[in-house]
């Protein structure tokens, strides 16, 4: 197989993710999920770099960090990791409630969840920007709680919508699929373009967030995430009026 033959399907799949066919099973959802993946990168860059070694979206990391803290490793806080886990779990519970109440229409599930997530992230931005130093306990744990709730809602919503390879917060299985399902490994090679876009979206969010924290205003990643979420919320509102096939429950 030539390089062109190998690359063309990947580019075609990537284009179909960014500009999906309205008749597709998931309709207009894939580009929105990509935008939420960028949000994850922005928010986790903020939390890890300004709130200590803690994630608000990547709960695998917090479980590992809890073990590090118990072993006495410097720079890790058991309380912060547990606070993030509890907040994320509470957010996932709220996201689950939203999904189960509006499950007959996927557009409404997405819109209601995004309204809540946007409010939480913008509230976190207000705390980070105006409530005082980020290294105080009050600011730190308020931010962990608000952002953990927000990303828990997002993760539960992504799970309910079940758009393949666009979980918005977890890339381990995405990267595994890219390698294990590749034609070189003897697999079908499907969805490599979508998976690659998911990885790039997370990377782009993390890069932008880290650059803002290290070279600009530490709260800026949250403002960017809030604005991106607001745009997604407006888009999702339009989707609530659709009666196309993709709106049916998975």
């Amino acid at each position: 197989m030539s390089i062109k033959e190998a690359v063309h399907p990947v580019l075609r799949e990537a284009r179909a993710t960014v500009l999906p066919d309205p008749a597709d099973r998931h309709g207009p959802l894939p580009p929105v999920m990509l935008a939420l993946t960028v949000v994850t990168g922005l928010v986790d860059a903020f939390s890890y770099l300004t709130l200590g070694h803690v994630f608000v979206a990547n709960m695998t990391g917090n479980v590992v960090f809890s073990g590090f803290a118990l072993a006495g490793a410097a720079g890790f806080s058991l309380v912060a990791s547990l606070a993030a886990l509890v907040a994320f779990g509470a957010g996932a519970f709220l996201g689950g409630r939203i999904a189960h109440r509006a499950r007959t229409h996927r557009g409404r599930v997405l819109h209601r969840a995004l309204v809540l997530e946007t409010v939480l992230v913008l509230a976190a931005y207000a705390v980070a920007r105006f409530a005082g130093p980020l290294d105080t306990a009050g600011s730190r744990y308020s931010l962990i709680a608000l952002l953990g709730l927000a990303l828990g809602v997002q993760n539960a919503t992504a799970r309910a919508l079940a758009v393949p390879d666009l979980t918005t917060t977890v890339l381990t299985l995405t990267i595994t699929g890219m390698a294990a399902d590749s034609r070189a490994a003897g697999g079908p090679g499907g969805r490599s373009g979508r998976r690659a876009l998911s990885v790039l979206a997370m990377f782009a969010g993390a890069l932008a967030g880290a650059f803002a924290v290290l070279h600009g205003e530490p709260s800026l990643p949250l403002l960017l995430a809030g604005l991106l979420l607001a745009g997604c919320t407006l888009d999702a509102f339009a989707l609530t009026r659709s009666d196309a096939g993709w709106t049916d429950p998975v």
Side-chain angles (χ1 to χ4, degrees):
M1 178 184 295
S2 68
I3 294 178
K4 182 178 180 179
E5 290 174 327
V7 171
H8 182 69
V10 175
L11 295 178
R12 184 176 64 248
E13 292 160 5
R15 183 180 185 279
T17 300
V18 176
L19 301 171
D21 183 345
D24 182 76
R25 176 66 187 89
H26 300 286
L29 293 177
V32 179
M33 307 311 282
L34 276 179
L36 296 182
T37 306
V38 176
V39 167
T40 296
L42 286 165
V43 173
D44 259 349
F46 170 82
S47 69
Y48 190 86
L49 295 174
T50 67
L51 304 180
H53 293 166
V54 62
F55 288 119
V56 292
N58 180 4
M59 291 303 109
T60 302
N62 288 324
V63 172
V64 173
F65 293 164
S66 297
F68 292 169
L70 282 172
F76 295 93
S77 168
L78 178 61
V79 175
S81 293
L82 292 179
L85 285 163
V86 170
F88 185 91
F93 175 82
L94 292 174
R97 292 281 292 178
I98 291 170
H100 293 308
R101 289 189 174 188
R103 65 186 310 164
T104 56
H105 195 290
R106 298 166 83 200
R108 295 192 190 109
V109 170
L110 179 62
H111 179 250
R112 293 175 186 179
L114 285 177
V115 168
L116 178 55
E117 184 179 2
T118 302
V119 170
L120 289 168
V121 170
L122 289 177
Y125 167 70
V127 171
R129 184 70 178 84
F130 303 111
L134 297 178
D135 56 358
T136 62
S139 293
R140 184 186 191 195
Y141 287 104
S142 294
L143 288 165
I144 289 174
L146 287 168
L147 296 173
L149 281 168
L151 272 296
V153 170
Q154 178 179 305
N155 206 58
T157 304
R159 184 175 184 273
L161 297 176
V163 181
D165 298 304
L166 292 174
T167 63
T168 78
T169 58
V170 181
L171 292 181
T172 302
L173 289 177
T174 302
I175 295 171
T176 300
M178 289 175 65
D181 295 342
S182 66
R183 288 188 172 86
R191 299 205 299 267
S192 294
R194 173 176 292 187
R195 290 163 174 166
L197 278 179
S198 182
V199 173
L200 288 173
M202 183 83 76
F203 173 80
L207 177 62
F211 191 87
V213 169
L214 298 175
H215 304 288
E217 165 59 47
S219 63
L220 184 56
L222 299 185
L223 177 60
L224 295 174
L227 293 175
L228 189 54
L229 284 167
C232 290
T233 302
L234 290 174
D235 188 38
F237 177 71
L239 300 182
T240 63
R241 303 183 179 187
S242 173
D243 59 358
W246 67 266
T247 63
D248 297 332
V250 175

